[in-house]
Amino acid sequence: MRRRGASRVAVAALLGVNLVLPIRPEPVAAAGFVEAYPVTATAMRAAGPPYADWAADGRRFLSFDTRGDGRAVEVLGDLADADRVAVLVPGVGSTLADFDRGLGGVARRAPAVQAGQLYREVRAGDPAARVAVLAWLGYDPPDGVLTAAGGVSARRGAAGLAVLLRELAARRPAATITLVGHSYGALVVSLAAADAPAQVTDVVSLGGVGAGVQRADDLPGGRRFWAAEAPTDWIRRVPPARLPGLGFGRRPGDPAFGARPLPVGGVAGHDGYLAPGSATLVATAAVVRGSATPVATAAVAGRVDADRVGDAR
């Protein structure tokens, strides 16, 4: 699935490619929650280290597949009893090999680490919360900046994520679901939200490259759309172009997009939104808990840069 850069793709990488190609969703494993855990544990033991160690540690996965760049969907918390569910989708370059260790061995980039930080922060704000956080590497993200030019991976990921969301809604109809996407993952969750069940109430973009729409109000379903974009994040240099056949449109962090801004105090670079000490982590956890004032929650925690927050509409 890895594609090396070609010169004609370099220009498209700056603008993006319009999301219009009809494609099939990638397969989604796991027909249930609790029922899936022993099946995936068996597969991880058979795959050997480090995956066998994950199973030995009692970690729970809805799906696990080592083919290609790999797939994994880890569950933190009791999904079968949760009334608040967050689904965290990573972006470019994420693979099964880096699920735990992070791209380049940088732990803060690891989907499993980020999901763990979010889960602990939600519980810290409400120890009695019945919450589950999913680290959803259920699609094949682009391998790098050049291959990220296209929207095929995002559409496939969104289609696969939509299957999971419908199952979550069917099994936990009283639960509310928050979608959290980082970088290219923000595009995935935004596309999935366009046709998601009503249980999906909030979409959070962290350093998102785009959302497939020009404005937050264009997202159907009346869902709340939140965005964090740090001043030190290189994503700010991605042009908000949308030409015929080209472009992801405005970044969710662009004020003109109209998302509800999240604080970015303590965030460094593109990968620090869910790191300990980040105001974005505190505010995102508040969104998952259903707080009407996540910015105020982060302020109480003492991690808001007021000059960079704006009006939390």
Side-chain angles (χ1 to χ4, degrees):
M1 294 185 180
R2 297 184 180 275
R3 300 176 182 174
R4 301 304 177 189
S7 59
R8 68 178 182 275
V9 183
V11 174
L14 297 177
L15 298 176
V17 176
N18 194 27
L19 309 174
V20 295
L21 297 178
I23 55 177
R24 295 176 299 172
E26 296 190 359
V28 176
F33 299 157
V34 176
E35 303 98 313
Y37 300 148
V39 176
T40 54
T42 298
M44 287 187 285
R45 286 192 291 268
Y51 313 118
D53 298 329
W54 299 359
D57 290 341
R59 293 169 62 178
R60 295 173 295 181
F61 288 76
L62 287 182
S63 64
F64 174 81
D65 189 346
T66 59
R67 291 174 294 180
D69 286 338
R71 307 284 191 279
V73 180
E74 185 174 12
V75 179
L76 291 87
D78 186 355
L79 185 56
D81 190 49
D83 55 22
R84 298 280 176 179
V85 179
V87 183
L88 176 64
V89 179
V92 169
S94 298
T95 67
L96 180 60
D98 295 322
F99 188 80
D100 243 22
R101 69 187 182 193
L103 290 170
V106 180
R108 69 175 181 274
R109 296 176 173 176
V113 172
Q114 293 177 350
Q117 295 288 3
L118 181 57
Y119 177 73
R120 287 187 288 274
E121 190 65 44
V122 173
R123 294 297 304 274
D126 181 2
R130 294 161 53 191
V131 61
V133 175
L134 277 60
W136 194 84
L137 182 59
Y139 79 121
D140 182 31
D143 295 320
V145 174
L146 294 181
T147 49
V152 173
S153 291
R155 285 181 60 106
R156 283 181 175 159
L161 179 56
V163 174
L164 173 66
L165 295 176
R166 288 193 292 270
E167 184 170 339
L168 285 172
R171 287 174 173 262
R172 299 295 302 160
T176 59
I177 302 170
T178 299
L179 303 180
V180 183
H182 174 248
S183 193
Y184 192 85
L187 181 60
V188 175
V189 300
S190 298
L191 294 174
D195 192 31
Q199 285 83 352
V200 177
T201 58
D202 294 87
V203 178
V204 178
S205 167
L206 305 178
V209 69
V213 293
Q214 285 292 87
R215 290 187 53 81
D217 291 343
D218 295 336
L219 193 69
R223 308 177 211 282
R224 292 179 291 268
F225 199 114
W226 307 83
E229 186 177 277
T232 55
D233 190 342
W234 59 260
I235 203 74
R236 296 167 70 92
R237 297 195 294 271
V238 174
R242 191 172 185 118
L243 305 173
L246 292 174
F248 295 138
R250 292 192 183 102
R251 301 183 318 279
D254 184 337
F257 183 80
R260 303 176 185 220
L262 292 177
V264 294
V267 176
H270 187 57
D271 302 301
Y273 291 97
L274 296 179
S278 157
T280 307
L281 172 62
V282 178
T284 301
V287 172
V288 174
R289 287 195 304 269
S291 170
T293 56
V295 173
T297 301
V300 170
R303 298 204 285 269
V304 170
D305 183 341
D307 294 333
R308 297 173 182 171
V309 172
D311 175 26
R313 293 174 295 277

